[in-house]
Amino acid sequence: MDARPLVAVVPFGAPGAGEEAGAVARQLARRVVERSASESALELRPVLLVALPERGDAPGYLVMGATPDAALAARYGASLGATHALTGVLAEARLDLRLVQVEGARAVAERALEVGHGALPDVEREILAWLAHALGVEVANAEPVAGDEEAYRRYLLGLDEEVNAALFSREPERAREAARRAREHHLAALAHDASYFEPERRLLTLAAASVEAGEEHEHVGSLEALIERVPRSWRAHYLLGELRQATGDVSGAIVAFEHANSLEPLRDPDRVRLAELYLRAGQAGMAAAHLRAVGGASPARAKADEVAGLLGMVRGAQRLDVARAAIAAGRAGDALGELDALASGTGAVAAQARRLRLGVRHPERERDLERAGAVAVGGDVSVAAEAREAFARVLEAEPDLWEAHFGLGLLARHEGRAREAERAFRRVLELWPDQPDALHELGVALLLADERAEAVTVLDEAARHRPDDAGYLADAGFAHLRSGDLAGARERLERARSMDDSDAITRAYLEELERVEAGGR
């Protein structure tokens, strides 16, 4: 059984001494408890005094300071299972302490500590040392908490306002005002002693909590002021970056994260995040520099590769613009140099490069593509043979042109050749993964071939890429219906109807769903 003393610390009172003295007294008691957390020879626990209202439906409230007699202090201690209770009264330049033994409810030690000019920062240590001596145990002889008395006093006042903010949780305006005063006190403490870490720690803690509460705007200024006082605070720069990012200040977030990085190298996930910010700001070179710093074996490598892919698309789009400008200026040779380099990959940029290249090198084939494409979209099977021949000529000139393969897939679907359509749309997706129209058409072809499971996956993916297209969402819902997932079908079809209530196909799908839900086959 643990035989070490357990002391219940009652919030110190300061009757008649004014609001600031009361706050200092209360927070001195709190700080003694916090200071003792690392001690193994004794344990201190705070007493939270709650007054009960006369009306049963009214909330209780915390008593902020107390000066109980020995009997009442003993009862407070007994409620925490303590062996002793500690009380204190702050009056002018003196703190009167009393240690009460719970068993017998009698005072076993008393001490008057001088808290005159310059002595306040050492009071925590003196209280704990006296308490240990009175209980016959040994504790560490720690240094004073701060070198500057006004810095320490302001810190205690800030802590007290934090408590006020918590107590006013049901009155948001009063809570915000108390929280603002708390930040001002902590900043004032740092203005008196920039090396005092405790008020800095509290400002950082409050700012971090603001993200979850959606109150980032209220703490950005506090962190900026903190950095003015402690410019080498890595944590402050880093957290300021997070808050600025959350408030949409991309440029400000970049500056803050770069300052943090200059003081202490960012971790790989944070480098990737900074690269994303640079990408949003249109600074591809800086984004690439941070991505290169992420190691190949880093857990953040996959995310870095994803961002690098986006970076490649941005750079590719910029090079496409250069090629278009060269074409418009009559410099086809310069344009082809850019287009040849871009056309070798996969995805949207490579697809657009191949289409531009077709127009430069084979303008007659581009006209073939446009005419055959109109037939494929329109579904006129009477001229499907001519359209297929036109697509064949286009692919002879540009074998990896996705539009030609897509057109052939549409023609095959119109003529009822589901497997041939499926092969054509899969070829499109090899050239341009996640191309929404190809995904959608492949899903429809799979449904026609009764490949229901894959159809559901593919059509859901198509709808994800086109979230505002009610038709894509409705077709995904119908695929779920065909696969037997009635709940999934209902959810998608209702959303599609809310997006376009006039669509006849969506209404037909919903009627079919209702028939199946009613027990039909």
Side-chain angles (χ1 to χ4, degrees), residues 285-301:
M286 292 302 297
H290 280 286
L291 291 175
R292 284 195 297 271
V294 179
S298 170
R301 187 65 255 173

Side-chain angles (χ1 to χ4, degrees), residues 98 161 193-194 257 262 333 371 428 458 470:
R98 173 183 292 179
E161 290 292 1
D193 184 356
F257 282 129
S262 69
R371 287 192 293 267
V428 173
V458 171

Side-chain angles (χ1 to χ4, degrees), residues 183 232 323 455:
R183 297 194 297 271
R232 295 194 61 78

Side-chain angles (χ1 to χ4, degrees), residues 45 68 116 142 146 153 192 199 214 226 237 284 346 354 369 439 455 463 482 489:
R45 292 181 185 173
R153 188 180 72 82
H192 285 280
L226 167 58
H237 285 292
T346 60
R354 288 190 285 267
L369 178 66
L439 283 167
R482 289 285 302 276

Side-chain angles (χ1 to χ4, degrees), residues 350-426:
Q352 292 175 63
R354 288 190 285 267
R355 175 63 184 269
L356 284 172
R357 188 169 64 182
L358 178 73
V360 172
R361 285 182 173 164
H362 306 283
E364 71 285 0
R365 297 289 81 88
E366 186 172 41
R367 289 190 290 272
D368 279 340
L369 178 66
E370 290 171 355
R371 287 192 293 267
V375 172
V377 171
D380 185 357
V381 295
S382 67
V383 289
E386 291 88 339
R388 271 196 298 276
E389 290 175 2
F391 283 135
R393 291 193 296 271
V394 170
L395 290 174
E396 185 177 356
E398 191 69 67
D400 292 335
L401 198 71
W402 80 271
E403 293 97 325
H405 292 286
F406 185 78
L408 288 170
L410 289 179
L411 290 174
R413 181 166 66 78
H414 291 318
E415 295 174 323
R417 299 193 304 277
R419 290 301 186 188
E420 184 178 328
E422 178 186 336
R423 286 193 297 272
F425 296 133
R426 289 191 190 280

Side-chain angles (χ1 to χ4, degrees), residues 421-506:
E422 178 186 336
R423 286 193 297 272
F425 296 133
R426 289 191 190 280
R427 177 58 183 148
V428 173
L429 293 171
E430 290 174 2
L431 298 168
W432 185 348
D434 298 332
Q435 208 288 331
D437 297 318
L439 283 167
H440 177 255
E441 293 295 342
L442 174 60
V444 172
L446 289 167
L447 272 183
L448 291 173
D450 210 30
E451 299 287 346
R452 301 179 185 183
E454 189 179 3
V456 164
T457 301
V458 171
L459 287 170
D460 273 345
E461 182 71 3
R464 187 178 69 81
H465 285 284
R466 290 276 175 81
D468 298 324
D469 193 313
Y472 277 36
L473 187 59
D475 284 344
F478 184 64
H480 280 266
L481 170 58
R482 289 285 302 276
S483 69
D485 177 16
L486 302 188
R490 170 67 65 182
E491 187 269 333
R492 287 160 177 81
L493 291 173
E494 291 291 356
R495 277 199 289 136
R497 179 164 62 179
S498 70
M499 294 164 64
D500 184 1
D501 188 42
S502 64
D503 184 68
I505 294 177
T506 302

Side-chain angles (χ1 to χ4, degrees), residues 11-30:
F12 300 160
E19 290 186 11
E20 283 202 359
V24 168
R26 292 187 293 269
Q27 297 308 316
L28 272 175
R30 169 183 172 178

